[in-house]
Every structure is written in C-alpha cells, then in structure tokens.
Amino acid sequence: MWKSLYIDPAKCTGCLQCEMACSYEHTGVINPSNSLIKVFNFEHEGRKVPYTCTQCTDAWCMHSCPVDAIRLDLTTGAKVVFEDTCVGCKVCTIACPFGTVNYNQATGKVQKCDLCEGDPACAKACPTGAITYVDANWTGLGRMQAWAAKANTPAAAA
C-alpha cells in the first residue's frame, strides 16, 4: 500500500522545520531555499501553509516528460526525477497544475518531492503533526481541491 504526505494547514506554526529537514536530507546542508517543500506565508490571514508535490495518480509531470526522466517508484508510489536522464527542458514544470516541480538552476535539472524513499524527512521533523505520512487513498486531487477551497475561505474574526 502506497502512502502520501497529508498536510493539515491548521496545525502549521511556520517553524520551517520541514524545509530544513528536507534540504538537509537532499543536499546535506540546512538551507530552506533548497527544500522540496515550501511553507507559504499568508500574512494577511496570519497563517502558514506547507506545500509540496501531491504525487498525483495521473501525474501530468511524468506523462509530459519527453525523455522519461520522471518515473514511478513502485515501492513508494512517488514520481521520482532521474537526474541522469533529465535534460532540463522544464516541460514538466509547465505540466504540473500545482507548481511543485521546480527547475534547479545550479544543476540544470528539475526537482520535486520524492518522499525520501518512503521515509519523508519533513513529516518526521514536523513538531505539530501538520505534515503526516498516511495511506495514499486519504490524499490526492480531491483532497487537494477541498483543501484549496477551505484555504480560500477567510479566517474567522477573533
């Protein structure tokens, strides 16, 4: 059974532990600018929301790649970028409707969440449980759309 990241924005404090853990896991350096998960700051609403690849079932990034550089990891269900195959054309960045496939100027390749080979550093580092690693049937496009609708609702006045 595949698992996926589930993000509960109501639990996020904006501590950036997820960004630091992700960057360290993938680069060996704590540098949030290298993270594959980002925490968006909605200042006007006073809240923070972590955001990363949803590992879509019908992954448009994977299907759009002209050189088959994004492939399904059959163990984790993650859509993984194979850097040795990627030519840096950025077609996948355009195809992703959520903007979670990014071009890395330093490498000339694209990058996206790979679920840390089934042990996501961001979920382990999150002190509030805003990011959890759950059964993939509990996440996905339907949940993303429901979350987006909820996230666009103004915060209740105190």
Side-chain angles (χ1 to χ4, degrees):
M1 175 184 311
W2 289 342
K3 295 175 84 175
S4 184
L5 293 173
Y6 176 71
I7 296 172
D8 183 348
K11 292 182 178 179
C12 181
T13 64
C15 70
L16 305 183
Q17 291 292 316
C18 57
E19 289 187 5
M20 291 186 278
C22 177
S23 68
Y24 188 77
E25 177 73 21
H26 288 92
T27 68
V29 176
I30 295 175
N31 182 349
S33 67
N34 293 330
S35 176
L36 303 178
I37 188 168
K38 300 294 180 193
V39 176
F40 291 132
N41 183 13
F42 294 92
E43 275 188 46
H44 61 284
E45 294 180 17
R47 64 189 171 122
K48 316 273 192 208
V49 178
Y51 192 67
T52 192
C53 177
T54 62
Q55 308 298 339
C56 302
T57 301
D58 189 23
W60 296 354
C61 63
M62 184 171 72
H63 296 300
S64 70
C65 182
V67 295
D68 194 32
I70 302 176
R71 300 180 208 134
L72 175 66
D73 179 322
L74 294 174
T75 304
T76 65
K79 285 46 172 203
V80 178
V81 176
F82 285 76
E83 284 193 21
D84 58 333
T85 307
C86 178
V87 295
C89 69
K90 304 181 207 167
V91 171
C92 57
T93 67
I94 297 166
C96 176
F98 303 111
T100 59
V101 181
N102 298 293
Y103 181 74
N104 182 328
Q105 209 155 11
T107 64
K109 311 288 182 171
V110 296
Q111 58 186 16
K112 61 177 287 308
C113 175
D114 59 5
L115 298 176
C116 297
E117 298 180 3
D119 192 21
C122 60
K124 289 190 303 188
C126 182
T128 64
I131 305 168
T132 52
Y133 194 47
V134 299
D135 179 339
N137 292 330
W138 292 17
T139 62
L141 182 59
R143 290 215 175 235
M144 172 76 65
Q145 289 170 332
W147 171 83
K150 184 178 176 181
N152 287 329
T153 304

